[in-house]
Amino acid sequence: ARRSPGSKEPPQENGVIQSTQGLYSSTSPPASDDEPFSTYFEEKVPIPEDVTQMFSFRKLWAFTGPGFLMSIAYLDPGNIESDLQSGAKAGFKLLWVLLGATIIGLLLQRLAARLGVVTGMHLAEVCNRQYPTVPRIILWLMVELAIIGSDMQEVIGCAIAFNLLSMGRIPLWGGVLITIIDTFVFLFLDKYGLRKLEAFFGFLITIMAVSFGYEYVMVRPDQGELLKGMFLPYCENCDSAQMEQAVGIVGAVIMPHNIYLHSALVKSRQIDRGNKKEVKEANKYYFIESTIALFISFLINVFVVAVFAEAFYDKTNIEVNAKCNASGSPHTDLFPLDNSTLQVDIFKGGVVLGCFFGPAALYIWAIGILAAGQSSTMTGTYSGQFVMEGFLNLRWSRFARVLLTRSIAIFPTLLVAIFQDVQHLTGMNDFLNVLQSMQLPFALIPILTFTSLTSIMDDFANGLVWKIGGGVVILVVCAINMYFVVVYVTSLNSVALYVLVALLCIAYLSFVCYLAWQCLIALGVSCLDVSCLGNRVSNNCHAVFIEEQPAYDT
């Protein structure tokens, strides 16, 4: 039973039994040569045939690309700011949290890649076909909010980099406008070939590695303390500020829109999805590539944490003020003459590096932030296109889709840039982190749901270990991020806001419970399916997706 992209009613043929809660039917990808529109997939990268080897570097190179584009979300300005704050507030003590969050992120990205490879569709397209209309629209809105929040951080990160590089001559709003223009230019690089576009992203990652690696070599962190902080899961003498920072690390690393993005990027290779051997091989090489890409992103994040842990941990404002005054920095007034602990963000981080290690450190820092912001802005735009096309089944021209997805995030960003000073953006960044944390269930629950279904994944559905492990991981990640949200809300100290948040939480938790209910049924908890209550002894009564058919076109 197949369901067409625009169909509203589930298929009724071949004996498919439905429940009133929804339908999870077998899913067939649209044929690649019949796709009515394209963004990233105007060409497919061919995979060389090499049947004589268990592992082929030529094949790994052919599959290399999507994982590195996905890894850029682990290097966006929001992550860099989280890294430097972690180092300044807790030293090396929270590196193990960063390592754990990256490993969890890798496992979640594996699920996303497998969904795209096996079905030939990305997560938004599968959601469009499997969820009823109302949940589908709500899900789309929630994911769009996450993309907007991430995009605002990325564009403002670029604007801050332009401000630092120009010594304040380019205002924040000017940097936003420049970022808008150059993002449109860079996004059309795929017209010159998909591999050239992927090479450009690799070049930006290299700039980040060299820039932040330079800072690392210059500061020369204590390697013993670094390794201790990375592999000993303990935080000695940590208070609530360090604990909140640990939660913030997890929230910054695992981003909801990146799950949707990765499931789409893997469609760019020529894979015969009717051949299970090829699908299995693609899953293997994509996982290896993702592991390498996230290892590199982890090293870059470690560079940033280590620099600020070694140079600025336990520093006070008065110490930094004196150093900046002695170096002739024009930003001395950023640091009041008191003994409170230094508070840094992306902008202040560049300033203090310039005060302590010279102007070169400031400019190299700004170049790294610019590369991080520019690359993540581009991948964020791709995420927006994939999500909108998948959920809404758009048939617009390429330029119209790019313009719409950019405008949704750019207008609020431009307003913030015009009315907010570059030196006072930390509060907004905290709010955007909370916004993205709240959207995590709307990516993690669907990806576990659909990759656990044999009606969609056939032989590649999650086994018992992955079902249980994935469920536990998603529960822990969501709980950690909800704690982050609660901490932020309680710091607002406003009764009116508390009431508003309480009302929103009721609606929010109701929808999360709906998705979780559907997910538990997918994981095999058939007693939750009310359509099965009257027929418990029937072997056919297993969840809301009764008839399981292969996801392959044969």
Side-chain angles (χ1 to χ4, degrees):
R2 304 295 188 199
R3 187 177 180 185
S4 63
S7 69
K8 299 292 192 238
E9 296 296 326
Q12 302 289 331
E13 59 204 56
N14 297 333
V16 174
I17 304 172
Q18 308 170 50
S19 77
T20 56
Q21 291 76 37
L23 170 78
Y24 291 87
S25 61
S26 60
T27 308
S28 67
S32 60
D33 55 351
D34 294 331
E35 290 181 354
F37 57 82
S38 180
T39 53
Y40 185 76
F41 314 118
E42 291 181 354
E43 67 170 291
K44 300 275 188 176
V45 176
I47 305 301
E49 293 187 9
D50 194 347
V51 296
T52 61
Q53 297 183 18
M54 292 289 292
F55 178 83
S56 167
F57 282 102
R58 289 179 65 236
K59 284 191 176 182
L60 178 60
W61 178 249
F63 281 106
T64 297
F68 281 88
L69 268 69
M70 168 273 295
S71 72
I72 285 171
Y74 292 73
L75 295 168
D76 71 348
N79 273 288
I80 300 301
E81 182 159 294
S82 175
D83 292 337
L84 65 89
Q85 289 174 345
S86 171
K89 290 180 180 179
F92 299 98
K93 299 175 186 177
L94 298 179
L95 278 173
W96 62 274
V97 177
L98 177 63
L99 176 61
T102 304
I103 292 173
I104 291 174
L106 173 63
L107 299 179
L108 295 172
Q109 299 298 160
R110 173 187 180 271
L111 296 181
R114 286 171 71 87
L115 180 71
V117 169
V118 173
T119 67
M121 294 188 294
H122 55 75
L123 181 55
E125 291 175 317
V126 177
C127 289
N128 178 54
R129 286 156 176 77
Q130 302 297 342
Y131 283 124
T133 302
V134 173
R136 183 170 70 240
I137 296 300
I138 296 174
L139 198 59
W140 168 63
L141 292 174
M142 294 298 101
V143 177
E144 284 292 350
L145 279 177
I147 293 173
I148 291 171
S150 174
D151 219 15
M152 289 179 70
Q153 287 180 316
E154 293 155 0
V155 173
I156 288 177
C158 284
I160 289 174
F162 283 122
N163 185 272
L164 287 171
L165 288 170
S166 66
M167 294 300 293
R169 293 183 181 89
I170 299 177
L172 197 61
W173 61 266
V176 170
L177 291 176
I178 293 173
T179 304
I180 295 171
I181 295 170
D182 63 27
T183 298
F184 271 108
V185 173
F186 291 142
L187 277 172
F188 287 92
L189 283 177
D190 61 2
K191 287 290 185 182
Y192 296 96
L194 180 58
R195 296 298 271 177
K196 291 184 177 65
L197 177 69
E198 292 173 347
F200 179 69
F201 279 103
F203 172 69
L204 293 176
I205 293 174
T206 302
I207 290 177
M208 285 184 265
V210 172
S211 299
F212 300 133
Y214 169 83
E215 310 281 2
Y216 181 87
V217 171
M218 183 177 54
V219 173
R220 290 180 292 181
D222 185 322
Q223 302 302 304
E225 288 296 314
L226 186 149
L227 293 174
K228 179 181 175 183
M230 189 179 298
F231 295 109
L232 289 181
Y234 180 66
C235 191
E236 186 178 1
N237 299 322
C238 287
D239 56 20
S240 59
Q242 278 92 9
M243 291 297 100
E244 291 173 16
Q245 186 61 43
V247 172
I249 291 172
V250 178
V253 167
I254 303 173
M255 305 179 73
H257 70 277
N258 208 35
I259 304 296
Y260 288 86
L261 174 68
H262 197 198
S263 66
L265 296 177
V266 296
K267 293 169 57 179
S268 58
R269 268 52 182 175
Q270 286 182 358
I271 302 168
D272 179 7
R273 292 180 174 82
N275 185 330
K276 294 187 178 183
K277 182 180 178 181
E278 283 195 27
V279 172
K280 183 177 180 179
E281 183 180 70
N283 286 331
K284 177 181 74 172
Y285 282 109
Y286 273 134
F287 182 67
I288 294 172
E289 186 233 3
S290 297
T291 303
I292 296 170
L294 289 188
F295 176 72
I296 293 172
S297 72
F298 173 70
L299 289 182
I300 295 173
N301 282 310
V302 168
F303 289 162
V304 178
V305 174
V307 165
F308 283 83
E310 181 70 29
F312 306 116
Y313 176 52
D314 267 351
K315 283 284 193 299
T316 62
N317 281 322
I318 196 169
E319 290 178 274
V320 177
N321 183 287
K323 190 72 175 179
C324 288
N325 193 44
S327 66
S329 171
H331 302 292
T332 304
D333 58 330
L334 288 175
F335 312 102
L337 293 169
D338 57 41
N339 285 316
S340 58
T341 305
L342 174 67
Q343 300 290 326
V344 288
D345 51 30
I346 288 179
F347 181 77
K348 290 181 181 178
V351 171
V352 295
L353 283 172
C355 293
F356 279 75
F357 302 103
L362 184 150
Y363 290 123
I364 291 174
W365 168 261
I367 290 171
I369 295 299
L370 181 61
Q374 189 63 71
S375 58
S376 55
T377 300
M378 293 169 65
T379 55
T381 302
Y382 278 123
S383 298
Q385 290 184 63
F386 295 141
V387 165
M388 190 168 289
E389 291 164 1
F391 277 107
L392 303 184
N393 200 27
L394 290 182
R395 292 294 185 272
W396 293 5
S397 69
R398 174 180 169 81
F399 180 78
R401 293 195 312 275
V402 173
L403 183 63
L404 177 61
T405 52
R406 293 307 299 147
S407 300
I408 288 175
I410 286 301
F411 281 123
T413 306
L414 193 56
L415 290 175
V416 168
I418 292 173
F419 296 106
Q420 184 71 285
D421 187 80
V422 69
Q423 301 169 7
H424 303 93
L425 290 172
T426 301
M428 189 202 71
N429 191 61
D430 290 341
F431 170 76
L432 293 176
N433 283 335
V434 169
L435 179 67
Q436 293 175 79
S437 296
M438 292 184 67
Q439 312 313 316
L440 265 175
F442 306 127
L444 303 190
I445 295 177
I447 195 65
L448 180 62
T449 300
F450 298 132
T451 54
S452 297
L453 297 177
T454 53
S455 58
I456 292 177
M457 300 291 289
D458 196 44
D459 292 343
F460 297 95
N462 295 331
L464 182 62
V465 173
W466 271 98
K467 288 180 180 179
I468 296 175
V472 170
V473 164
I474 289 173
L475 182 64
V476 170
V477 169
C478 290
I480 288 174
N481 282 278
M482 287 305 101
Y483 170 79
F484 184 47
V485 172
V486 170
V487 168
Y488 176 79
V489 171
T490 53
S491 68
L492 298 177
N493 297 320
S494 171
V495 176
L497 285 175
Y498 291 160
V499 173
L500 177 62
V501 168
L503 293 175
L504 292 175
C505 279
I506 293 174
Y508 173 84
L509 292 175
S510 298
F511 187 56
V512 171
C513 288
Y514 167 81
L515 294 177
W517 169 52
Q518 296 281 321
C519 183
L520 287 172
I521 295 174
L523 295 177
V525 188
S526 56
C527 61
L528 295 177
D529 181 14
V530 296
S531 68
C532 293
L533 293 180
N535 191 20
R536 290 183 181 274
V537 297
S538 172
N539 291 330
N540 292 328
C541 188
H542 179 70
V544 294
F545 12 81
I546 314 302
E547 184 185 64
E548 299 181 344
Q549 299 179 358
Y552 298 96
D553 292 325
T554 57

